[in-house]
């Protein structure tokens, strides 16, 4: 296996408008068959998930479909659960069910789910992840969802700021590995400071074509946090082929390049590839 993509969306409901958007953007239906074939043909592994934001959109997801695809992938895919924290006790119950299904992490999108990661009401969810050695993959920074529309579809970017949310949770749960997706732009300097300070904070590079990754992020991944930076594409929104090609053009040390593409994720996820 030559690389592991830690940020891959699978839309588990046919009614999901995001799936229709993906077909237009990526030329793919976003189906499970498409996804598995894509990564198998490229000798890559992937972390797959959907995002549960039922209390804000009314739309349900199927964590079982994620678990089913991961189970039949021959070790090619690892499935992460997603729950809507605003569901309270039901969210914790769903995590228990997902653990029994074999899912191995939790994915959250605080901007669309409309919650603060450091809200103590949600700490039982992070306690569960810590106890089960589940990484917590959380969207940070701005979002393309609603970008350019009047009022941004009502979405509030404050939920994507890593300070204090990521920092507080990392401090309060030192054995919880937190993956901050999209390197938190435009607050990437804040996130780099957090990652430098707290060894349980990881950074994924998804959602950005590598030629647009800020110089500060490249400098840090090439040096003081090289052991905790991860390749992520944001499939199907960003073509992993394009991402890999552009990443090769960045001024990154050869040994660091391998860490970002493969070995950091292997170590974090306990993945023999």
């Amino acid at each position: 296996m030559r690389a592991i993509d830690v940020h891959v969306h699978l839309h588990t409901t046919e009614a999901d408008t995001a799936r229709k958007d993906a077909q237009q953007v990526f030329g793919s239906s976003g189906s499970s068959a498409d996804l598995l074939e894509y990564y198998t043909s490229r000798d890559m592994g992937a972390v797959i998930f959907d995002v549960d934001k039922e209390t804000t959109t009314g739309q349900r997801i199927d964590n079982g479909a994620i678990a089913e695809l991961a189970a039949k992938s021959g070790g090619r895919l690892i499935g992460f659960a997603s729950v809507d924290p605003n569901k309270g006790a039901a969210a914790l119950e769903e995590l228990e069910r997902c653990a029994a299904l074999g899912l191995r992490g939790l994915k959250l999108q605080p901007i669309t789910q409309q919650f603060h990661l450091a809200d103590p009401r949600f700490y039982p969810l992070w306690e569960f992840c810590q106890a089960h050695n589940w990484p917590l993959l959380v969207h940070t920074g701005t979002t393309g969802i609603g970008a350019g529309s009047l009022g941004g579809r009502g979405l509030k970017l404050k939920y994507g700021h890593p300070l204090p949310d990521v920092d507080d949770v990392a401090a309060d749960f030192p054995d919880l590995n937190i993956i901050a997706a999209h390197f938190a732009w435009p607050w990437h300097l804040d996130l780099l400071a957090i990652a430098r300070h707290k060894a349980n904070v990881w950074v994924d590079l998804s959602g950005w074509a590598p030629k647009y990754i800020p110089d500060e992020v490249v400098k840090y991944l090439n040096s003081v946090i090289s052991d905790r930076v991860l390749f992520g594409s944001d499939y199907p929104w960003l073509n992993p082929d394009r991402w890999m090609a552009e990443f090769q053009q960045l001024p990154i040390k050869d040994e660091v390049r391998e860490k970002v593409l493969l070995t950091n994720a292997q170590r974090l996820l306990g993945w023999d590839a």
Side-chain angles (χ1 to χ4, degrees):
M1 194 177 291
R2 66 189 183 98
I4 295 173
D5 185 344
V6 302
H7 202 109
V8 175
H9 293 265
L10 175 64
H11 304 295
T12 58
T13 55
E14 289 294 339
D16 195 334
T17 56
R19 171 176 288 196
K20 298 173 184 177
D21 292 344
Q23 186 166 7
Q24 294 176 351
V25 171
F26 196 67
S28 164
S29 68
S31 71
S32 60
D34 288 340
L35 187 152
L36 181 55
E37 190 280 330
Y38 186 92
Y39 283 93
T40 299
S41 68
R42 287 153 177 81
D43 193 26
M44 294 166 59
V47 173
I48 61 171
F49 49 78
D50 203 346
V51 179
D52 181 0
K53 44 188 183 293
E54 185 177 359
T55 63
T56 59
T57 68
Q59 192 168 67
R60 302 177 70 89
I61 68 164
D62 182 4
N63 283 310
I66 300 293
E68 181 180 356
L69 179 59
K72 72 179 185 183
S73 72
R76 181 72 56 185
L77 308 174
I78 283 179
F80 276 19
S82 184
V83 297
D84 184 338
N86 295 303
K87 292 181 181 178
L92 191 57
E93 291 173 4
E94 177 65 2
L95 285 188
E96 295 280 3
R97 187 181 78 91
C98 288
L101 290 173
L103 296 179
R104 294 169 53 182
L106 176 60
K107 160 64 178 175
L108 301 169
Q109 218 289 10
I111 295 175
T112 57
Q113 293 173 314
Q114 299 180 24
F115 79 99
H116 281 293
L117 196 72
D119 188 325
R121 292 179 299 164
F122 308 127
Y123 271 31
L125 299 175
W126 322 150
E127 290 168 359
F128 177 96
C129 292
Q130 181 172 253
H132 287 76
N133 197 29
W134 274 20
L136 176 60
L137 173 59
V138 58
H139 179 106
T140 59
T142 188
T143 178
I145 301 171
S149 63
L150 293 173
R153 297 187 193 173
L155 298 176
K156 297 176 181 177
L157 298 181
K158 64 182 179 181
Y159 297 116
H161 202 301
L163 278 175
D165 286 326
V166 171
D167 188 59
D168 282 5
V169 174
D172 292 342
F173 296 90
D175 294 321
L176 173 64
N177 286 306
I178 302 172
I179 307 170
H182 317 310
F183 54 82
W185 186 91
W187 307 296
H188 51 289
L189 295 181
D190 291 335
L191 178 61
L192 292 173
I194 295 167
R196 181 73 177 97
H197 190 251
K198 293 178 171 64
N200 54 324
V201 174
W202 303 63
V203 178
D204 99 21
L205 303 175
S206 67
W208 289 78
K211 67 181 179 180
Y212 296 118
I213 295 176
D215 290 343
E216 298 95 339
V217 176
V218 175
K219 181 178 180 179
Y220 267 68
L221 75 85
N222 229 355
S223 56
V224 292
I225 61 168
S226 63
D227 290 333
R228 285 179 286 116
V229 179
L230 304 162
F231 158 46
S233 68
D234 217 12
Y235 174 105
W237 309 114
L238 184 62
N239 185 319
D241 291 337
R242 174 189 176 187
W243 197 101
M244 294 282 283
E246 289 190 14
F247 187 67
Q248 293 301 319
Q249 305 305 312
L250 293 183
I252 295 172
K253 301 170 187 174
D254 289 341
E255 63 271 23
V256 172
R257 195 180 305 277
E258 183 181 14
K259 288 180 181 182
V260 172
L261 291 176
L262 181 64
T263 58
N264 285 347
Q266 286 179 310
R267 181 164 46 87
L268 172 62
L269 299 168
W271 194 333
D272 295 325

